[in-house]
């Protein structure tokens, strides 16, 4: 960790985690033969102005709110991505961007790009911008796509990529390179990287495959290979810690609006109608939360971070009955990871895991729909009741990125390129308090971004829905 002190005694010193670099494990005489002036200096299309290059002393603060009433001026969390740290210092990360010196000769670079895990809006945009950035900014001509996720390193032939080939990829959903879960065999993957001569590896991953990226990086370090590796976070759930958000999230919230609008129309058009929408969110409810705040049509939002119950005073059924009497309809949004402990499971289902090692979730939407119908037929057997269940999961994650996410993908891809070319490795690029930064991969791998129930955003959800807090007396 690096410490930077401040002349102002009211501001705590800044702690910057050491960002891995090739110089950490490659002998310096070998590195000197690679270190050159950034090719951007001679780029015929762009002449870097003064102040264009980022210095090694520029950092982005992770926590930007100070309590000036305290003598120690300890930092407080500025966003849901913050985590606890020493009150005597403020954590920061090196600012992303081009460096004056690079550690790769463009004529010797062989770059590999791989997409892993589930689909997410913007994956093709990131691939396209990695190819275009390497090609046009740095003059790299050997860029390859690895098909079918991690297993593609050792089971498939790399696909040569050029700007012409990827020209329209950002307009497509999914990933043209194909993806998969599982297939992680560390020795085979690193052996394949070596045999193909790849010296830059760009991994577009989600929460599960992120741990695999860290293992690959550690094995590269152990073998002392001259390979720069970076990860680009990909998850619509927005559950990756430290960074402000991950790409695809805003597109997911926007598309979720369409499902909520449809549920609202269905509910309004029926007698005692309930529109039930299940949204993505295995361990975090960010999509459900933001979609609820955006739509204003949601009567109750259920997320994995809160426990809820159905029957009794203060329960969901009591709330819905009151809302139906008042308005004649209701809209209920539930994240896929909510209420999993309430759904009956067989012994086999309790042990079931997916290819990434995550517990297999049961369909909370179908279960809740059934419970709602059983409740109404029990309490009001002679009254009409309609539940319209909408699950837009695969429609949301398969669409192309919207304009905001496309911009994000461009900036994060170029940030990753600049970092790798400068010799950094084992890092993640992402926005921290609105500025792009480089974060050690091992730090991101253990950070989580859950909805904080004491945060203002959840208070806003409660205020716009007036839903119960599900706290039993």
């Amino acid at each position: 960790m690096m410490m930077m002190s401040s002349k102002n005694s009211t501001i705590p010193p800044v702690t910057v985690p050491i960002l891995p670099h090739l110089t950490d494990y490659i002998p310096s005489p070998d590195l000197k033969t690679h270190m050159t002036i950034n090719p951007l200096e001679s780029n015929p299309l762009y002449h870097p102005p003064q102040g264009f290059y980022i210095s090694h002393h520029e950092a982005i603060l992770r926590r930007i709110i100070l309590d000036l009433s305290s003598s120690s001026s300890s930092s407080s969390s500025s966003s849901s991505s913050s985590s606890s740290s020493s009150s005597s210092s403020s954590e920061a990360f090196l600012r992303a961007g081009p460096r004056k010196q690079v550690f790769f000769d463009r004529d010797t670079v062989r770059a590999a790009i791989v997409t892993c895990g589930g689909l997410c809006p913007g994956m093709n945009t990131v691939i396209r911008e990695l190819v275009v950035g390497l090609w046009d900014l740095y003059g790299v001509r050997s860029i390859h796509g690895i098909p079918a996720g991690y297993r593609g390193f050792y089971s498939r032939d790399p696909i040569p990529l050029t700007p012409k080939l990827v020209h329209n990829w950002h307009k497509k959903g999914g990933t043209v390179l194909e993806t998969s879960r599982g297939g992680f065999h560390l020795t085979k993957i690193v052996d394949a990287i070596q045999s193909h001569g790849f010296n830059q590896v760009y991994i577009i991953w989600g929460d599960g495959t992120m741990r695999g990226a860290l293992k690959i990086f550690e094995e590269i370090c152990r073998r002392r290979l001259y390979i720069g590796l970076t990860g680009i976070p990909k998850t619509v759930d927005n559950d990756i810690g430290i960074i402000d958000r991950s790409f695809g999230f805003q597109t997911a919230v926007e598309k979720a609006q369409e499902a909520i609008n449809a549920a609202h129309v269905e509910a309004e058009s029926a007698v005692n109608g309930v529109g039930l929408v299940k949204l993505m969110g295995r361990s975090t409810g960010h999509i459900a939360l933001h979609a609820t705040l955006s739509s204003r049509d949601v009567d109750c939002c259920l997320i994995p971070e809160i426990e809820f119950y159905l029957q009794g005073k203060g329960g969901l059924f009591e709330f819905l009955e009151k809302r139906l009497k008042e308005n004649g309809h209701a809209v209920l949004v539930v994240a896929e990871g909510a209420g999993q402990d309430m759904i009956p499971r067989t012994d086999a289902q309790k042990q079931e895991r997916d290819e990434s090692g995550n517990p297999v979730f049961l369909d909370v939407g179908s279960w809740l729909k059934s419970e709602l119908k059983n409740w109404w037929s029990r309490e009001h057997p002679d009254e009409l009741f309609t539940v319209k269940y909408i699950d837009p999961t695969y429609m949301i994650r398969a669409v192309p990125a919207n304009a905001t996410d496309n911009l994000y993908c461009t900036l994060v891809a170029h940030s990753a390129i600049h970092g790798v070319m400068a010799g950094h490795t084992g890092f993640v690029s992402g926005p921290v308090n609105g500025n792009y930064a480089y974060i050690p991969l091992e730090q991101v791998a253990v950070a989580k971004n859950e909805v904080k129930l004491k945060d203002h955003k959840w208070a806003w959800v409660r205020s716009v829905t007036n839903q119960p807090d599900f706290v039993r007396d």
Side-chain angles (χ1 to χ4, degrees), residues 274-338:
V274 173
L276 175 60
V277 180
K278 185 184 76 173
L279 297 176
M280 288 173 289
R282 288 183 56 86
S283 58
T284 63
H286 292 289
I287 294 178
L289 182 153
H290 283 257
T292 295
L293 289 176
S294 302
S295 72
R296 294 296 200 264
D297 289 329
V298 178
D299 293 278
C300 188
C301 174
L302 303 174
I303 60 176
E305 290 86 348
I306 65 168
E307 294 183 1
F308 66 95
Y309 57 95
L310 302 180
Q311 303 186 61
K313 185 174 177 57
L316 179 63
F317 291 161
E318 180 188 67
F319 170 75
L320 285 178
E321 182 162 22
K322 180 181 178 182
R323 191 55 57 93
L324 289 172
K325 287 182 179 179
E326 292 174 346
N327 300 332
H329 67 275
V331 175
L332 178 61
V333 168
V334 59
E336 61 180 316

Side-chain angles (χ1 to χ4, degrees), residues 110-268:
R110 282 181 59 82
I113 303 170
V114 64
T115 54
C116 304
L119 298 184
C120 175
M123 294 174 76
N124 283 324
T125 305
V126 174
I127 298 169
R128 178 190 186 277
E129 294 308 317
L130 287 173
V131 174
V132 172
L134 284 166
W135 190 286
D136 289 343
L137 294 178
Y138 286 97
V140 174
R141 295 295 182 264
S142 182
I143 309 169
H144 303 267
I146 307 300
Y150 280 140
R151 57 172 45 86
F153 276 109
Y154 56 84
S155 66
R156 302 276 290 274
D157 292 329
I159 302 171
L161 301 177
T162 64
K164 183 177 181 179
L165 178 65
V166 303
H167 178 64
N168 287 316
W169 282 18
H170 63 294
K171 300 176 182 178
K172 302 177 181 180
T175 167
V176 179
L177 290 182
E178 303 176 347
T179 185
S180 68
R181 297 185 188 276
F184 185 82
H185 193 296
L186 180 60
T187 301
K188 288 183 178 180
I189 291 172
V190 180
D191 286 348
I193 291 173
Q194 280 191 267
S195 65
H196 287 298
F198 295 133
N199 52 14
Q200 292 188 5
V201 179
Y202 298 86
I203 302 176
I204 305 168
W205 43 249
D207 183 54
T209 49
M210 170 173 51
R211 294 184 288 274
L214 179 58
K215 291 179 180 178
I216 294 173
F217 167 65
E218 292 171 343
E219 179 64 13
I220 286 173
C221 292
R222 190 187 69 79
R223 298 189 189 188
R224 298 184 181 277
L225 303 178
Y226 199 100
I227 298 172
L229 179 145
T230 184
I232 299 177
K234 163 210 63 80
T235 167
V236 287
D237 292 351
N238 199 36
D239 57 355
I240 295 176
I242 301 177
I243 62 174
D244 296 344
R245 69 178 190 281
S246 49
F247 73 80
F249 173 68
Q250 292 200 338
T251 303
V253 172
E254 182 179 292
K255 286 297 177 180
Q257 298 298 300
E258 298 177 10
I260 293 173
N261 289 340
H264 186 239
V265 170
E266 290 283 356
E268 272 193 320

Side-chain angles (χ1 to χ4, degrees), residues 339-416:
Q340 290 296 316
D341 293 340
M342 302 171 62
I343 308 175
R345 290 174 179 262
T346 64
D347 290 338
Q349 288 173 329
K350 292 178 182 178
Q351 303 298 323
E352 194 174 2
R353 302 268 171 172
D354 63 18
E355 296 91 337
S356 298
N358 300 313
V360 173
F361 282 1
L362 299 182
D363 187 348
V364 65
S366 295
W367 170 78
L368 197 51
K369 176 183 178 182
S370 177
E371 291 296 313
L372 286 168
K373 286 188 170 183
N374 291 337
W375 157 66
W376 193 266
S377 64
R378 207 170 46 240
E379 299 295 327
H380 308 280
D382 299 324
E383 295 185 39
L384 292 173
F385 182 69
T386 303
V387 181
K388 295 296 185 181
Y389 174 42
I390 299 175
D391 180 0
T393 298
Y394 293 101
M395 293 178 63
I396 289 175
R397 66 184 227 163
V399 301
N402 65 10
T404 301
D405 274 330
N406 263 331
L407 173 60
Y408 178 118
C409 292
T410 299
L411 296 177
V412 77
H414 286 204
S415 295

